[in-house]
Amino acid sequence: NAGVTQTPKFRVLKTGQSMTLLCAQDMNHEYMYWYRQDPGMGLRLIHYSVGEGTTAKGEVPDGYNVSRLKKQNFLLGLESAAPSQTSVYFCASSTPAGFNSPLHFGNGTRLTVT
Amino acid sequence: AQSVTQLDSHVSVSEGTPVLLRCNYSSSYSPSLFWYVQHPNKGLQLLLKYTSAATLVKGINGFEAEFKKSETSFHLTKPSAHMSDAAEYFCVVSVFSGGYQKVTFGTGTKLQVIP
């Protein structure tokens, strides 16, 4: 049972380059999320999706774009990477069963922008 | 609005001694509360959750947490620490607001277990 799978696991970019992070879940969850994790700051929500074809901004959306063309996939794009985007990125998913549904996380993507 | 405060960024205990990781929250609604654990270079794993059924919640690996509304706290405890408990722990508050599940993470507590 794969759960939530993120690719790639590691990536190094130069300033100005672009890339896409892929998140795939096999649990038929409606909700999907992208977070970034920085030391001492916990996890901060970048963008989220409440269903196929819908996306919305979280608390730190600047410099990122997302797409949810298929229910099982949630893509996070960086059009022009900046050193401030060096972080560990986590994807998560959950069911729309109200506020007590736990989030299921992938193992993260470690991104370094030089 | 909601927020989570983890009162200690680092906690160090000896193996076999009790663990206490402190969490206070604030929320305009009745929240659900969670604890997650993150081992190095891994994703976050759910330890336990509180959803208004019982105030004392038991989780995996011998952890439990008590919801105290009057103190707005949700502290995580374990009677006897094991070396494998060394990890970072996150307290999380969740409410359903604006059409989606709004989740707020604490800044984390790193638990060190000394042999």
Side-chain angles (χ1 to χ4, degrees), chain A:
Chain A
N1 194 359
V4 179
T5 303
Q6 292 182 234
T7 53
K9 290 182 171 56
F10 303 94
R11 187 70 186 270
V12 178
L13 290 178
K14 294 184 178 179
T15 297
Q17 288 185 319
S18 63
M19 77 163 293
T20 300
L21 308 184
L22 172 63
C23 176
Q25 53 95 3
D26 62 2
M27 296 172 283
N28 202 35
H29 285 171
E30 289 291 335
Y31 295 175
M32 296 187 75
Y33 311 80
W34 276 107
Y35 289 89
R36 60 177 289 172
Q37 182 180 32
D38 301 292
M41 302 187 75
L43 275 75
R44 293 180 292 167
L45 182 65
I46 304 171
H47 286 279
Y48 65 97
S49 169
V50 299
E52 182 179 319
T54 69
T55 64
K57 295 180 180 179
E59 58 181 304
V60 289
D62 294 342
Y64 305 95
N65 57 75
V66 289
S67 64
R68 183 103 181 264
L69 298 179
K70 293 183 178 180
K71 184 177 182 179
Q72 63 268 34
N73 295 337
F74 195 29
L75 278 63
L76 177 71
L78 287 73
E79 290 187 347
S80 179
S84 61
Q85 294 177 305
T86 293
S87 187
V88 181
Y89 291 85
F90 286 97
C91 177
S93 68
S94 69
T95 61
F99 58 90
N100 58 4
S101 296
L103 300 181
H104 298 260
F105 286 89
N107 283 334
T109 295
R110 188 173 295 274
L111 175 66
T112 302
V113 182
T114 62

Side-chain angles (χ1 to χ4, degrees), chain B residues 49-72:
Chain B
K49 69 177 185 179
Y50 165 76
T51 57
S52 78
T55 57
L56 183 62
V57 181
K58 294 187 184 297
I60 61 172
N61 300 334
F63 284 94
E64 60 183 39
E66 186 172 9
F67 174 71
K68 292 186 176 179
K69 187 174 181 179
S70 60
E71 299 175 10
T72 60

Side-chain angles (χ1 to χ4, degrees), chain B residues 11-106:
Chain B
V11 169
S12 183
V13 301
S14 297
E15 189 176 17
T17 64
V19 176
L20 171 64
L21 306 183
R22 299 181 295 166
C23 172
N24 287 111
Y25 72 93
S26 69
S27 176
S28 302
Y29 306 94
S30 295
S32 280
L33 296 159
F34 304 83
W35 276 98
Y36 285 83
V37 60
Q38 184 181 30
H39 289 93
N41 300 313
K42 296 292 186 184
L44 282 77
Q45 179 186 14
L46 180 68
L47 268 182
L48 51 80
K49 69 177 185 179
Y50 165 76
T51 57
S52 78
T55 57
L56 183 62
V57 181
K58 294 187 184 297
I60 61 172
N61 300 334
F63 284 94
E64 60 183 39
E66 186 172 9
F67 174 71
K68 292 186 176 179
K69 187 174 181 179
S70 60
E71 299 175 10
T72 60
S73 69
F74 190 56
H75 301 334
L76 182 70
T77 61
K78 183 173 181 178
S80 177
H82 191 273
M83 294 300 295
S84 61
D85 295 329
E88 190 161 19
Y89 293 78
F90 292 92
C91 182
V92 177
V93 62
S94 172
V95 296
F96 204 78
S97 174
Y100 82 105
Q101 185 180 359
K102 183 172 171 59
V103 177
T104 302
F105 285 79

